[in-house]
mmCIF file of all heavy atoms in Angstrom:
data_model
loop_
_atom_site.group_PDB
_atom_site.id
_atom_site.type_symbol
_atom_site.label_atom_id
_atom_site.label_comp_id
_atom_site.label_asym_id
_atom_site.label_seq_id
_atom_site.Cartn_x
_atom_site.Cartn_y
_atom_site.Cartn_z
ATOM 1 N N VAL X 42 105.604 116.268 134.132
ATOM 2 C CA VAL X 42 105.787 116.237 132.679
ATOM 3 C C VAL X 42 107.287 116.311 132.394
ATOM 4 O O VAL X 42 107.945 117.302 132.726
ATOM 5 C CB VAL X 42 105.023 117.396 132.007
ATOM 6 C CG1 VAL X 42 105.208 117.343 130.492
ATOM 7 C CG2 VAL X 42 103.541 117.326 132.360
ATOM 8 N N LYS X 44 108.677 115.266 129.254
ATOM 9 C CA LYS X 44 108.927 115.020 127.822
ATOM 10 C C LYS X 44 110.087 115.876 127.337
ATOM 11 O O LYS X 44 110.532 116.781 128.063
ATOM 12 C CB LYS X 44 107.661 115.268 127.011
ATOM 13 C CG LYS X 44 107.077 116.640 127.103
ATOM 14 C CD LYS X 44 105.607 116.617 126.684
ATOM 15 C CE LYS X 44 104.931 117.920 126.903
ATOM 16 N NZ LYS X 44 104.714 118.708 125.727
ATOM 17 N N TYR X 48 112.417 118.624 129.378
ATOM 18 C CA TYR X 48 112.580 120.024 128.963
ATOM 19 C C TYR X 48 114.071 120.380 128.870
ATOM 20 O O TYR X 48 114.504 121.462 129.282
ATOM 21 C CB TYR X 48 111.886 120.967 129.952
ATOM 22 C CG TYR X 48 110.371 120.945 129.940
ATOM 23 C CD1 TYR X 48 109.662 119.769 129.861
ATOM 24 C CD2 TYR X 48 109.643 122.124 130.025
ATOM 25 C CE1 TYR X 48 108.278 119.755 129.858
ATOM 26 C CE2 TYR X 48 108.251 122.124 130.015
ATOM 27 C CZ TYR X 48 107.582 120.928 129.932
ATOM 28 O OH TYR X 48 106.210 120.912 129.938
ATOM 29 N N LEU X 90 101.748 110.998 126.167
ATOM 30 C CA LEU X 90 100.793 112.066 125.837
ATOM 31 C C LEU X 90 100.446 112.121 124.346
ATOM 32 O O LEU X 90 99.387 112.609 123.979
ATOM 33 C CB LEU X 90 101.356 113.422 126.277
ATOM 34 C CG LEU X 90 101.483 113.644 127.789
ATOM 35 C CD1 LEU X 90 102.266 114.926 128.077
ATOM 36 C CD2 LEU X 90 100.123 113.710 128.461
ATOM 37 N N LYS X 135 91.441 111.249 126.601
ATOM 38 C CA LYS X 135 91.667 112.685 126.451
ATOM 39 C C LYS X 135 90.452 113.329 125.791
ATOM 40 O O LYS X 135 89.953 112.853 124.768
ATOM 41 C CB LYS X 135 92.919 112.968 125.628
ATOM 42 C CG LYS X 135 93.222 114.465 125.586
ATOM 43 C CD LYS X 135 94.656 114.765 125.302
ATOM 44 C CE LYS X 135 94.956 116.236 125.555
ATOM 45 N NZ LYS X 135 96.341 116.566 125.263
ATOM 46 N N ARG X 142 93.509 119.897 119.260
ATOM 47 C CA ARG X 142 94.685 119.070 118.945
ATOM 48 C C ARG X 142 94.299 117.623 119.265
ATOM 49 O O ARG X 142 93.491 117.035 118.572
ATOM 50 C CB ARG X 142 95.902 119.582 119.728
ATOM 51 C CG ARG X 142 97.232 119.023 119.292
ATOM 52 C CD ARG X 142 98.417 119.649 120.020
ATOM 53 N NE ARG X 142 98.423 119.423 121.465
ATOM 54 C CZ ARG X 142 99.408 119.771 122.278
ATOM 55 N NH1 ARG X 142 100.481 120.376 121.806
ATOM 56 N NH2 ARG X 142 99.340 119.539 123.561
ATOM 57 N N HIS X 171 93.373 119.490 127.928
ATOM 58 C CA HIS X 171 94.517 120.417 127.899
ATOM 59 C C HIS X 171 94.006 121.798 127.514
ATOM 60 O O HIS X 171 93.192 121.933 126.591
ATOM 61 C CB HIS X 171 95.536 119.910 126.872
ATOM 62 C CG HIS X 171 96.867 120.601 126.946
ATOM 63 N ND1 HIS X 171 97.565 120.760 128.131
ATOM 64 C CD2 HIS X 171 97.640 121.150 125.984
ATOM 65 C CE1 HIS X 171 98.711 121.383 127.887
ATOM 66 N NE2 HIS X 171 98.779 121.644 126.596
ATOM 67 N N ASN X 210 98.084 122.428 133.603
ATOM 68 C CA ASN X 210 99.531 122.547 133.441
ATOM 69 C C ASN X 210 99.974 123.723 134.318
ATOM 70 O O ASN X 210 99.198 124.212 135.151
ATOM 71 C CB ASN X 210 99.890 122.733 131.961
ATOM 72 C CG ASN X 210 99.322 124.024 131.399
ATOM 73 O OD1 ASN X 210 98.468 124.661 132.010
ATOM 74 N ND2 ASN X 210 99.797 124.415 130.235
ATOM 75 N N SER X 211 101.200 124.221 134.123
ATOM 76 C CA SER X 211 101.696 125.269 135.033
ATOM 77 C C SER X 211 100.749 126.461 135.076
ATOM 78 O O SER X 211 100.316 126.875 136.163
ATOM 79 C CB SER X 211 103.095 125.718 134.595
ATOM 80 O OG SER X 211 103.996 124.643 134.649
ATOM 81 N N ARG X 227 99.275 118.449 136.039
ATOM 82 C CA ARG X 227 100.216 117.927 135.036
ATOM 83 C C ARG X 227 101.229 119.029 134.756
ATOM 84 O O ARG X 227 101.036 119.864 133.898
ATOM 85 C CB ARG X 227 99.403 117.593 133.789
ATOM 86 C CG ARG X 227 99.862 116.434 133.002
ATOM 87 C CD ARG X 227 98.883 116.068 131.897
ATOM 88 N NE ARG X 227 98.500 117.168 131.049
ATOM 89 C CZ ARG X 227 97.266 117.677 130.949
ATOM 90 N NH1 ARG X 227 96.260 117.181 131.629
ATOM 91 N NH2 ARG X 227 97.026 118.695 130.160
ATOM 92 N N VAL X 228 102.317 119.032 135.524
ATOM 93 C CA VAL X 228 103.185 120.214 135.562
ATOM 94 C C VAL X 228 104.515 119.962 134.875
ATOM 95 O O VAL X 228 105.191 118.968 135.149
ATOM 96 C CB VAL X 228 103.428 120.646 137.032
ATOM 97 C CG1 VAL X 228 104.346 121.857 137.090
ATOM 98 C CG2 VAL X 228 102.105 120.946 137.711
ATOM 99 N N GLY X 229 104.880 120.891 133.995
ATOM 100 C CA GLY X 229 106.196 120.859 133.371
ATOM 101 C C GLY X 229 107.021 122.050 133.820
ATOM 102 O O GLY X 229 107.799 122.000 134.770
ATOM 103 N N LEU X 230 106.801 123.179 133.148
ATOM 104 C CA LEU X 230 107.693 124.329 133.305
ATOM 105 C C LEU X 230 107.914 124.777 134.751
ATOM 106 O O LEU X 230 109.048 125.047 135.160
ATOM 107 C CB LEU X 230 107.125 125.507 132.500
ATOM 108 C CG LEU X 230 108.132 126.610 132.201
ATOM 109 C CD1 LEU X 230 109.161 126.152 131.178
ATOM 110 C CD2 LEU X 230 107.439 127.873 131.692
ATOM 111 N N TRP X 364 109.972 127.396 127.009
ATOM 112 C CA TRP X 364 109.836 125.981 126.617
ATOM 113 C C TRP X 364 110.747 125.699 125.420
ATOM 114 O O TRP X 364 111.465 124.712 125.391
ATOM 115 C CB TRP X 364 108.393 125.662 126.221
ATOM 116 C CG TRP X 364 107.367 125.710 127.298
ATOM 117 C CD1 TRP X 364 106.880 124.653 128.016
ATOM 118 C CD2 TRP X 364 106.654 126.867 127.775
ATOM 119 N NE1 TRP X 364 105.924 125.086 128.894
ATOM 120 C CE2 TRP X 364 105.755 126.425 128.772
ATOM 121 C CE3 TRP X 364 106.691 128.220 127.467
ATOM 122 C CZ2 TRP X 364 104.896 127.291 129.446
ATOM 123 C CZ3 TRP X 364 105.845 129.086 128.147
ATOM 124 C CH2 TRP X 364 104.966 128.616 129.123
HETATM 125 C C1 PLP R 1 99.475 117.788 127.252
HETATM 126 C C2 PLP R 1 100.396 118.602 128.109
HETATM 127 N N1 PLP R 1 100.208 118.633 129.435
HETATM 128 C C3 PLP R 1 101.004 119.341 130.256
HETATM 129 C C4 PLP R 1 102.066 120.067 129.764
HETATM 130 C C5 PLP R 1 102.927 120.839 130.713
HETATM 131 O O1 PLP R 1 102.797 122.219 130.490
HETATM 132 P P1 PLP R 1 103.679 123.276 131.281
HETATM 133 O O2 PLP R 1 105.084 123.052 130.878
HETATM 134 O O3 PLP R 1 103.158 124.583 130.822
HETATM 135 O O4 PLP R 1 103.457 123.032 132.740
HETATM 136 C C6 PLP R 1 102.290 120.084 128.381
HETATM 137 C C7 PLP R 1 103.397 120.875 127.832
HETATM 138 O O5 PLP R 1 103.639 121.088 126.699
HETATM 139 C C8 PLP R 1 101.441 119.323 127.530
HETATM 140 O O6 PLP R 1 101.611 119.303 126.199
#
Side-chain angles (χ1 to χ4, degrees):
V42 181
K44 59 200 173 104
Y48 289 43
L90 292 171
K135 185 157 192 181
R142 192 175 62 174
H171 192 50
N210 63 347
S211 299
R227 214 172 51 245
V228 179
L230 198 71
W364 293 263

